[in-house]
Amino acid sequence: MVTIVDTLSRGTDARNERPRHPEKAHRPDNPVQRKPQWIRVKAPTSPVYRETHDIVKKNGLVTVCEEAGCPNIGECWSKKHASFMILGDTCTRACAFCNVRTGMPGAVDESEPASIGEAVARMGLEHVVITSVDRDDLDDGGATHFANVIKAIREQSPSTTVEVLTPDFLRKDGALEIVIEAKPDVFNHNMETVPSKYLKVRPGARYFHSIRLLQRAKELDPGMFTKSGIMVGLGEERNEVLQLMDDLRVADVDFLTVGQYLQPSKKHHPVMSFVTPEEFKAYEKIAYAKGFLKVSASPLTRSSHHAGEDFAELKAARQARQGF
């Protein structure tokens, strides 16, 4: 089982003595519930995990696997799968569910695209996921940096397929167009939760802006796969999840992920329920019936978990639907 350290109760982060979540420090405590047996995972121990860890550290890279405390890090890194987080490790927003550090970010590292390209080539990745913190402080929200990273990967590892998981680029006119012009194979933007929970869970975002972002991405490049993900267990109603599915289908989203929300610390939003594996299977069945090409729904599903295998299945599903 992965243990997520509560850095808030210690007041500082061991790496640089800065509070990890200063905006959450004065919130009342929400006890972290014991996880049910079906979402416990083993601690990472394999040699390949250590090799992946060393490559990431040697190149000075940040992974969302570590920053977000993902429970699948042992499995993914043991397969040399990693999701790289660009534009630093500090987010300008303070979502109630997220374990990524918040505050004012530093300057953009212009050497980062080349470093990621080198790491992807060295790891021999067939598929890579590139995500980022929110950078509301940048004029384009970091879109140009995303494009530069895609270009560097294409140059250093031409056979690697690239999936981007972007912020919402709220009030950043032209940012989405910059990313789409760089031709990622998959454009992913997570809705995270149902609209009724945005004010508490994702206060810096706007539900219908995110829906429109995904719709616009498909309009700009109809051949590109689009993807989105949500967490359950935040207090949402079942009918709200089904309506969200409908909204994503109106936006022509191809791929939906549904996973269990896990509370990173006592200062984060509490887990309101642990959704059973049977309920996840029901969500998966309904989502396929609504027309998604690919659905991944399970307690441990995360947006970039099994991304490479899922991309292959996504392509096969489109070809089957088109009669190839």
Side-chain angles (χ1 to χ4, degrees), residues 193-213:
T193 188
V194 299
S196 68
K197 299 301 173 187
Y198 262 52
L199 188 59
K200 285 189 175 180
V201 174
R202 200 181 177 213
R206 302 292 180 269
Y207 177 84
F208 287 106
H209 171 80
S210 287
I211 290 287
R212 177 56 182 153
L213 186 84

Side-chain angles (χ1 to χ4, degrees), residues 175-233:
L176 175 64
E177 286 77 2
I178 292 170
V179 176
I180 301 304
E181 189 176 353
K183 296 291 184 183
D185 297 281
V186 181
F187 177 83
N188 185 0
H189 172 66
N190 284 336
M191 299 301 299
E192 306 294 7
T193 188
V194 299
S196 68
K197 299 301 173 187
Y198 262 52
L199 188 59
K200 285 189 175 180
V201 174
R202 200 181 177 213
R206 302 292 180 269
Y207 177 84
F208 287 106
H209 171 80
S210 287
I211 290 287
R212 177 56 182 153
L213 186 84
L214 288 158
Q215 184 179 42
R216 179 64 177 153
K218 181 70 76 166
E219 290 170 353
L220 289 167
D221 187 347
M224 184 183 58
F225 291 104
T226 52
K227 177 178 176 181
S228 190
I230 64 167
M231 301 169 289
V232 290

Side-chain angles (χ1 to χ4, degrees), residues 109-242:
D109 179 3
E110 301 298 341
S111 68
E112 185 174 54
S115 295
I116 290 179
E118 179 184 344
V120 169
R122 185 176 301 176
M123 293 170 71
L125 298 181
E126 294 181 359
H127 186 84
V128 63
V129 179
I130 305 297
T131 187
S132 80
V133 292
D134 276 286
R135 291 297 301 258
D136 296 311
D137 58 309
L138 301 176
D139 289 342
D140 68 352
T144 299
H145 201 70
F146 263 101
N148 290 339
V149 170
I150 295 169
K151 180 180 178 181
I153 294 170
R154 300 288 192 217
E155 290 175 347
Q156 299 199 49
S157 187
S159 64
T160 300
T161 50
V162 181
E163 178 174 329
V164 294
L165 171 54
T166 77
D168 60 13
F169 299 128
L170 189 63
R171 292 182 289 274
K172 306 294 182 183
D173 291 344
L176 175 64
E177 286 77 2
I178 292 170
V179 176
I180 301 304
E181 189 176 353
K183 296 291 184 183
D185 297 281
V186 181
F187 177 83
N188 185 0
H189 172 66
N190 284 336
M191 299 301 299
E192 306 294 7
T193 188
V194 299
S196 68
K197 299 301 173 187
Y198 262 52
L199 188 59
K200 285 189 175 180
V201 174
R202 200 181 177 213
R206 302 292 180 269
Y207 177 84
F208 287 106
H209 171 80
S210 287
I211 290 287
R212 177 56 182 153
L213 186 84
L214 288 158
Q215 184 179 42
R216 179 64 177 153
K218 181 70 76 166
E219 290 170 353
L220 289 167
D221 187 347
M224 184 183 58
F225 291 104
T226 52
K227 177 178 176 181
S228 190
I230 64 167
M231 301 169 289
V232 290
L234 285 160
E236 70 287 332
E237 298 290 338
R238 183 174 182 274
N239 66 307
E240 292 181 296
V241 175
L242 303 190

